[in-house]
Amino acid sequence: MKDVLKTLSNELENRDCFFVFPSEVVASFWRKKALSLTRRKAVRSERFQSWDTFKENVFSRKREEKPVNRRIRLLFTASLLEKNNPHNPIFSYLINPEYADSSKAFLKHISSILPSLGTPSVREILEGNSSALNLEEGQRRDLLLILNEYRKFLKENSLFEPSYEKPDLNRLEGKYYIFFPDVIEDFLEFQSEIKNCPFIKVIETGEAPLAKEQKTLSSGGEKGRGGITFFGNVKKEIRWVVNKLRGLLDGGVRPQQIAITVSEEEVLNLLEAQCSLYGIPLDIRKGRSLTQYPAGRLFPSLSACHASDFSMSALKNLLLNRHLPWKNRQPGEELILFGIKYFCSEGAQWWIHNLRRMGEKKIEVYFRKLSERINGLFKAGDFKELKKEVDKFLSAFLDTDKWDEKSLRILQTSLDLLNELISDNEYTGEQKIADPFGLWLKAIEERIYVEKPDTAGIPVYGYRVSAGVYPDYHFITGATHQFTTVTVDRFPFFREDQKKGTTMERSDFSDDFLRLYSLSGKNLYFTCSGEMSSGAQLPPGYFVSRDMVFPYRDEDNLYGKDLFATEERIWLEYEGGKRSEENNPCFSPVQKEGFLNIEKTAFRQKDFDLTRETIVEDHLNEIILSRLSEEEGNLTISHSAFELFRSCPFAYLLSTALEVEEQEWNVFYYDPRIVGQLTHIILRELFNKIKELHGFFLPGSLEEYMETLEQVTSECFTEWERKKPFFISPIWTDVRKKTMEALNVFLKAEKEAFPDWKVFALEKTISLMDEEEKLKLTGRIDRISERDGQKALIDYKKRNPCKRDVLGKELSPEEQKNHEPPTGFLFEIPPQTLQLPFYIYISEARAERIHRASYYGVDDGKYVHIFDDTGSGGWADRDKIDTLVSYTREKIYEMSSKIRNGDYRTLAQNDSCESCSFRRICRNKFMLRLK
Ligand code: SF4
């Protein structure tokens, strides 16, 4: 940088002297820096210009004409592609005529090649000797067609493309210094004119001095220039950078003396997150596409809704986006909940069909209005009409006054782009554009937006634009080989093999940039990591070949000084209220805030923790008990409540007494519960028919039952489709087919397991009252069959439970005998399900002796008999089933007693936690390690 400093010191007083830098960021940096080099209080801003501004000045020969811009190029390209219709395609090489109706996809590519298509060197190839670059005839014809149409368009509209003009250096007044031409991608094209111009002096980037002493430093890059520090992963790297920044700021360095250059988005996001934790202000000058900001995502979301015909996922992205200032969020959420329940994944007509079927008038009106407004955006014939449609959408659904200033600025920039398109299109004679919204969206995506910082902070730049600045401290982070590779292909419309060996070959600026960055700061910190979310990374070849990569070894124990690494110690030293925010001056603002919050919440004396202690307040127990009891005051326990309590009493309390439910926002295409319900209904109806036909299941009538099954299945599906949720057509058709097949298998299994059994009861609700205990047990049995006065309980399942889940594993008689204190039934592994023993208990307590109990697994296609007195065998004999029933009884009364005593304690390590829907609100999974 010596040359820059020397030139500026010498020439700043010369008012006719101008300084040209590769980017506006660097020009602006030196504009400010120059003042500190001299005693001047001010300097004319145009004396420090970027290369692009310099070109505009020397190329704008035709002052009366207007330079073309990106939007106008898009407009021209869109109208040109309109002409490439499938009946009469105008392109034969660039766009395959077979895909002419998809020409829109080439909008971005063709508009991006326009600036280089008419440069003198390319023009010469296209218009001159056809053998140059071995161009194919179709290729040359298509490129010439674009070029000629574009030039005609420019001429008709008094426009000019700056890169098509030869520089008019004679127009220059004064003396010009051009710095760092090695990183200016199109400098070579003008090199000969510039070299011959006596008013211009070119200052090349010097060689970065190699700091051999660097190798002796434990954490390379520590003192200076030349080396790169290599971390294991990007999180460590950013933490190191942030700790360094904190050290500098704490040491009195001003944020403006520091600069950070980030190579890519992941590094920037991590840096932002870490700096906000430490309260380090950043001034992010790395631009992002408008659509990368939450507010800027509105228009792509609308486009996705239209393109997917209002698919569930597109509507969810739009309507559940809490960043958008909805006038009324509720109807949108109701629409999504309806869609989730009714599997609305098949487009607008499917939504309407389902909403009508279910009589949801209000939601239907909302959906129609929403889809009409969104479709209106895409029906707009021109930009003016589009603007009206955008206004209509915004005023119908959003209240932009609720938006914060940042979001409003993003929205306003997007709307400004639409206004600019309107005036550009007027200027160019109202081009016919088939898809104005699509073109506007393209312009929004291409617009790079830099946020205005709220506070003065450390400037953060993107890689490339900051090459050539010279702050006191410069961190170049995420500088991996991949992210510091800079190749420029200015002529993408020629193939690589065609450009080989010519000046048009893709140019590699990677080393030039790294060399310049190696000079861009008094103290430089190059860092990169071996692991990033994009995969394994390597340090740049530039440093590897110079033997200047220094793996990070935590010898200076920087993490030991890290506020967050030492936080654990601070918590352990916490002495109930004595350690307050003032006692911890080393806290970052976020930590202070967190500490104050935890004092009010987790550290506050808890009222109660029902996973660990019982409820002692009688009035609370009474309230809970009343919620769990029927009107007469009897505690009601169903089989499902019983099983839930067994797996976790606290989950039972939340679900049954407090009726806490998790709102499901995920979209599914299939729900096994619906298939299960339908199967139960079909089996009920089938046995009703069998009861009507014969009263018994007659094995000889299997054929007849199969026909009956088909008829019943069809009726049940039709009835279900009238008012119940069902899946999108291919899945639903498949469910229907598979259900039919599965139930045909069932009939064969039934013939083997229950021949000549009478259908005694279907879906029977049974109950048992214990007046003394004020306890009522209830259950619903899928089927009770009877033969020769012997009864069988049958429960249909998706899959049969295994023997161990039904019978458990008992303690040996010896262990039982020696158990202290002696108790009823002890299992080494208790049964997982006690459903049939629960029903047997109720039935037999009502003097209804049960002789057989079976599960039928629809997916397994077979019965399992958990016990069988009728002689066919089963998993358990009568004694064993009596043991299970007694065990069930014991557990029921234990549950009743615990509920009455307010005891919902659960194990800290509960197997059910893994699949529990209360995980997010249950404190049992949190462990606070306090002194
Ligand atoms: S997360 Fe575990 S302890 Fe908490 S309610 Fe669920 S099952 Fe019970």
Side-chain angles (χ1 to χ4, degrees):
M1 287 294 155
K2 266 192 244 143
D3 291 342
V4 187
L5 292 164
K6 203 167 124 196
T7 310
L8 292 181
S9 302
N10 293 343
E11 298 281 20
L12 203 64
E13 292 305 323
N14 178 358
R15 286 162 174 267
D16 294 330
C17 193
F18 295 83
F19 310 100
V20 179
F21 294 91
S23 69
E24 186 50 48
V25 165
V26 184
S28 149
F29 175 87
W30 285 106
R31 197 179 292 138
K32 286 186 202 134
K33 182 89 181 164
L35 297 178
S36 67
L37 299 175
T38 64
R39 288 188 185 166
R40 292 182 71 88
K41 291 231 165 54
V43 59
R44 257 179 29 240
S45 64
E46 71 265 24
R47 289 186 59 198
F48 290 79
Q49 5 183 297
S50 68
W51 168 251
D52 285 341
T53 313
F54 169 76
K55 276 194 304 184
E56 251 175 53
N57 292 339
V58 295
F59 289 41
S60 307
R61 185 158 46 92
K62 301 172 185 171
R63 284 287 182 188
E64 69 282 3
E65 292 174 345
K66 188 176 152 182
V68 76
N69 60 34
R70 276 168 184 266
R71 294 182 308 276
I72 296 179
R73 286 187 201 114
L74 279 174
L75 282 171
F76 161 77
T77 312
S79 89
L80 179 71
L81 290 174
E82 277 292 293
K83 295 176 193 162
N84 191 44
N85 62 63
H87 308 295
N88 189 17
I90 55 172
F91 295 115
S92 61
Y93 180 90
L94 290 181
I95 302 173
N96 186 330
E98 274 186 46
Y99 302 109
D101 53 354
S102 307
S103 299
K104 253 189 342 189
F106 292 82
L107 179 68
K108 198 171 167 194
H109 171 68
I110 293 186
S111 72
S112 73
I113 65 173
L114 293 175
S116 42
L117 195 60
T119 52
S121 48
V122 176
R123 226 159 43 209
E124 212 173 287
I125 291 167
L126 294 179
E127 290 169 347
N129 182 357
S130 63
S131 67
L133 292 193
N134 275 335
L135 289 195
E136 290 182 37
E137 196 39 46
Q139 182 185 18
R140 201 170 74 94
R141 205 176 37 239
D142 283 1
L143 291 172
L144 256 181
L145 172 79
I146 299 174
L147 179 61
N148 290 337
E149 287 288 320
Y150 188 46
R151 278 154 76 187
K152 197 167 122 210
F153 168 83
L154 293 175
K155 194 162 174 228
E156 283 171 2
N157 294 296
S158 301
L159 292 162
F160 78 97
E161 181 67 75
S163 56
Y164 291 10
E165 307 292 320
K166 281 258 179 210
D168 183 7
L169 297 177
N170 292 329
R171 288 186 58 245
L172 290 181
E173 286 167 8
K175 189 173 174 185
Y176 281 77
Y177 283 93
I178 299 178
F179 295 101
F180 318 129
D182 346 33
V183 296
I184 297 175
E185 58 185 63
D186 57 351
F187 185 78
L188 272 184
E189 278 188 47
F190 311 103
Q191 196 177 23
S192 54
E193 279 101 343
I194 286 174
K195 261 195 177 158
N196 293 332
C197 178
F199 317 116
I200 302 179
K201 192 161 177 352
V202 176
I203 312 262
E204 309 258 346
T205 308
E207 253 323 306
L210 293 180
K212 287 290 177 203
E213 73 275 12
Q214 191 78 64
K215 290 182 193 172
T216 61
L217 290 172
S218 61
S219 52
E222 184 68 19
K223 275 227 167 37
R225 52 193 70 253
I228 186 163
T229 311
F230 187 64
F231 290 81
N233 63 56
V234 68
K235 284 196 178 151
K236 279 188 182 172
E237 178 188 350
I238 298 303
R239 267 180 87 175
W240 183 87
V241 169
V242 171
N243 273 304
K244 275 277 173 204
L245 293 173
R246 193 169 63 87
L248 290 173
L249 295 175
D250 288 351
V253 175
R254 283 176 294 111
Q256 291 71 27
Q257 288 174 268
I258 308 172
I260 306 173
T261 293
V262 292
S263 60
E264 64 109 46
E265 210 56 27
E266 180 189 0
V267 177
L268 178 59
N269 292 339
L270 277 172
L271 184 75
E272 269 191 286
Q274 281 290 315
C275 284
S276 79
L277 285 179
Y278 288 87
I280 297 175
L282 295 179
D283 169 3
I284 306 211
R285 299 183 191 177
K286 183 180 187 294
R288 289 164 168 158
S289 158
L290 275 176
T291 53
Q292 280 180 276
Y293 295 92
R297 280 199 278 274
L298 168 64
F299 300 108
S301 296
L302 294 174
S303 171
C305 285
H306 178 258
S308 64
D309 193 20
F310 300 92
S311 72
M312 178 59 119
S313 62
L315 276 172
K316 252 182 88 177
N317 279 344
L318 177 72
L319 299 176
L320 301 188
N321 182 350
R322 296 205 153 230
H323 194 86
L324 296 177
W326 295 103
K327 275 190 171 155
N328 185 0
R329 185 172 288 127
Q330 200 187 339
E333 291 183 351
E334 281 173 6
L335 178 70
I336 296 300
L337 285 175
F338 176 87
I340 290 170
K341 187 169 175 194
Y342 289 92
F343 305 95
C344 297
S345 324
E346 266 192 319
Q349 284 313 314
W350 187 241
W351 278 99
I352 303 268
H353 171 76
N354 273 312
L355 287 163
R356 282 221 178 128
R357 184 167 73 89
M358 300 314 300
E360 290 286 359
K361 268 260 163 284
K362 234 171 91 195
I363 308 180
E364 187 189 337
V365 169
Y366 174 80
F367 177 76
R368 283 184 182 277
K369 187 176 164 194
L370 180 78
S371 52
E372 201 181 306
R373 287 276 72 88
I374 294 178
N375 287 335
L377 298 169
F378 293 85
K379 281 188 197 141
D382 56 41
F383 294 114
K384 285 182 194 157
E385 219 177 290
L386 174 60
K387 189 166 186 293
K388 281 187 205 150
E389 291 297 329
V390 172
D391 288 343
K392 277 191 208 166
F393 177 85
L394 293 176
S395 63
F397 293 102
L398 301 182
D399 178 359
T400 48
D401 289 346
K402 284 192 205 159
W403 236 336
D404 59 82
E405 228 178 281
K406 266 187 197 172
S407 303
L408 268 180
R409 278 201 294 264
I410 306 271
L411 175 69
Q412 197 48 56
T413 310
S414 305
L415 297 178
D416 288 348
L417 268 174
L418 184 53
N419 287 331
E420 285 163 15
L421 278 169
I422 291 173
S423 60
D424 286 337
N425 205 31
E426 269 173 4
Y427 185 83
T428 56
E430 300 287 355
Q431 301 296 309
K432 181 145 176 33
I433 305 297
D435 176 17
F437 187 94
L439 203 127
W440 177 42
L441 191 59
K442 201 56 87 201
I444 292 177
E445 282 165 1
E446 284 189 3
R447 169 59 68 89
I448 300 299
Y449 181 80
V450 180
E451 270 185 278
K452 246 169 83 185
D454 295 333
T455 49
I458 301 172
V460 181
Y461 305 105
Y463 193 73
R464 286 174 70 168
V465 293
S466 59
V469 297
Y470 194 62
D472 292 343
Y473 302 90
H474 193 172
F475 292 82
I476 298 125
T477 52
T480 63
H481 183 76
Q482 180 185 343
F483 297 121
T484 54
T485 298
V486 182
T487 56
V488 176
D489 186 2
R490 298 198 55 239
F491 308 99
F493 39 85
F494 295 141
R495 293 197 316 262
E496 291 300 320
D497 61 304
Q498 292 172 332
K499 291 182 284 194
K500 202 165 178 13
T502 72
T503 52
M504 291 187 172
E505 256 189 303
R506 183 188 291 265
S507 327
D508 189 339
F509 291 87
S510 311
D511 283 4
D512 299 301
F513 270 102
L514 283 169
R515 193 155 41 86
L516 180 53
Y517 267 116
S518 298
L519 297 164
S520 299
K522 278 187 201 156
N523 293 282
L524 279 166
Y525 303 91
F526 274 102
T527 59
C528 69
S529 316
E531 261 179 47
M532 292 177 78
S533 66
S534 49
Q537 298 287 340
L538 292 169
Y542 177 87
F543 291 110
V544 176
S545 62
R546 287 164 175 78
D547 194 17
M548 288 165 70
V549 179
F550 308 103
Y552 178 72
R553 292 188 295 276
D554 190 15
E555 284 172 17
D556 56 357
N557 191 21
L558 202 59
Y559 296 148
K561 298 170 203 157
D562 181 303
L563 290 183
F564 287 89
T566 52
E567 192 180 287
E568 187 180 343
R569 186 177 47 76
I570 293 169
W571 293 132
L572 291 173
E573 285 170 8
Y574 176 79
E575 288 167 23
K578 281 186 203 154
R579 179 169 284 277
S580 64
E581 177 203 340
E582 303 89 76
N583 299 338
N584 281 290
C586 57
F587 271 1
S588 77
V590 168
Q591 284 174 304
K592 277 182 191 166
E593 201 182 318
F595 192 86
L596 291 175
N597 280 340
I598 204 167
E599 280 201 316
K600 285 187 221 141
T601 54
F603 283 178
R604 196 179 55 127
Q605 193 64 42
K606 278 197 198 111
D607 296 337
F608 41 68
D609 175 0
L610 298 185
T611 62
R612 305 269 184 282
E613 54 199 85
T614 54
I615 303 171
V616 286
E617 287 86 352
D618 288 344
H619 73 282
L620 264 184
N621 269 330
E622 275 164 29
I623 294 170
I624 293 172
L625 196 59
S626 71
R627 287 176 148 233
L628 297 169
S629 304
E630 55 178 19
E631 268 179 30
E632 293 77 19
N634 301 315
L635 170 64
T636 315
I637 298 179
S638 67
H639 158 255
S640 52
F642 171 64
E643 295 287 25
L644 179 58
F645 192 93
R646 280 183 73 220
S647 68
C648 175
F650 187 60
Y652 165 82
L653 174 70
L654 293 178
S655 155
T656 316
L658 306 183
E659 293 175 6
V660 176
E661 264 181 65
E662 189 182 32
Q663 181 59 63
E664 183 58 79
W665 289 103
N666 288 329
V667 181
F668 296 99
Y669 295 94
Y670 176 83
D671 184 351
R673 283 173 306 180
I674 288 181
V675 181
Q677 284 172 24
L678 245 171
T679 309
H680 275 74
I681 292 172
I682 295 170
L683 285 174
R684 184 191 66 207
E685 293 308 309
L686 174 71
F687 277 98
N688 263 329
K689 291 268 184 210
I690 291 174
K691 203 172 164 186
E692 277 170 27
L693 285 169
H694 311 112
F696 296 86
F697 187 96
L698 299 179
S701 302
L702 191 65
E703 292 286 315
E704 190 185 354
Y705 294 156
M706 283 186 171
E707 278 171 30
T708 310
L709 172 67
E710 202 169 327
Q711 185 201 343
V712 165
T713 305
S714 167
E715 284 167 7
C716 289
F717 266 86
T718 310
E719 180 58 22
W720 184 277
E721 286 161 17
R722 277 187 60 239
K723 282 286 170 200
K724 299 264 175 65
F726 58 95
F727 322 135
I728 56 172
S729 52
I731 302 176
W732 191 243
T733 310
D734 191 56
V735 165
R736 199 180 176 123
K737 187 170 154 253
K738 295 247 169 67
T739 307
M740 194 62 218
E741 285 167 5
L743 294 183
N744 267 321
V745 173
F746 165 79
L747 282 175
K748 287 176 194 149
E750 183 73 16
K751 181 185 162 192
E752 296 304 317
F754 292 95
D756 299 316
W757 283 69
K758 184 174 151 193
V759 182
F760 183 77
L762 295 168
E763 296 197 348
K764 186 178 182 198
T765 302
I766 51 170
S767 61
L768 179 68
M769 188 63 214
D770 182 335
E771 299 287 352
E772 207 177 303
E773 277 283 320
K774 290 189 84 53
L775 173 66
K776 185 178 179 185
L777 305 181
T778 62
R780 193 172 147 102
I781 303 170
D782 287 340
R783 195 176 95 222
I784 304 175
S785 285
E786 187 190 35
R787 191 176 67 182
D788 304 333
Q790 296 182 317
K791 293 210 171 62
L793 302 185
I794 295 135
D795 191 74
Y796 309 126
K797 293 237 160 309
K798 182 171 165 50
R799 299 210 75 117
N800 283 323
C802 70
K803 195 171 173 185
R804 169 68 64 85
D805 286 350
V806 173
L807 304 183
K809 187 177 173 208
E810 278 182 69
L811 288 179
S812 67
E814 195 61 20
E815 286 168 320
Q816 288 268 10
K817 209 168 91 197
N818 297 333
H819 193 272
E820 278 301 331
T823 180
F825 303 96
L826 285 171
F827 284 90
E828 190 182 327
I829 302 169
Q832 281 282 311
T833 170
L834 291 171
Q835 186 177 5
L836 286 177
F838 188 92
Y839 296 157
I840 295 170
Y841 170 62
I842 296 180
S843 301
E844 297 197 338
R846 293 166 55 94
E848 208 164 358
R849 179 94 170 153
I850 301 301
H851 299 84
R852 193 193 252 196
S854 314
Y855 289 113
Y856 179 80
V858 176
D859 287 358
D860 304 312
K862 64 177 184 189
Y863 273 105
V864 291
H865 307 296
I866 71 162
F867 95 101
D868 188 359
D869 277 352
T870 66
S872 311
W875 285 346
D877 56 18
R878 188 74 224 189
D879 284 349
K880 174 79 186 173
I881 208 69
D882 284 347
T883 305
L884 278 176
V885 170
S886 301
Y887 176 74
T888 307
R889 184 185 182 283
E890 186 184 293
K891 291 287 155 197
I892 291 169
Y893 279 89
E894 187 181 298
M895 172 179 171
S896 162
S897 150
K898 281 188 173 178
I899 291 172
R900 288 177 202 285
N901 291 320
D903 183 356
Y904 301 95
R905 288 172 302 159
T906 187
L907 298 171
Q909 294 288 318
N910 193 329
D911 287 348
S912 318
C913 297
E914 205 57 45
S915 56
C916 178
S917 57
F918 300 122
R919 262 178 83 85
R920 275 183 234 164
I921 55 167
C922 176
R923 284 188 164 172
N924 203 20
K925 66 175 180 158
F926 294 108
M927 297 280 283
L928 282 176
R929 193 165 54 132
L930 297 174
K931 202 171 134 185

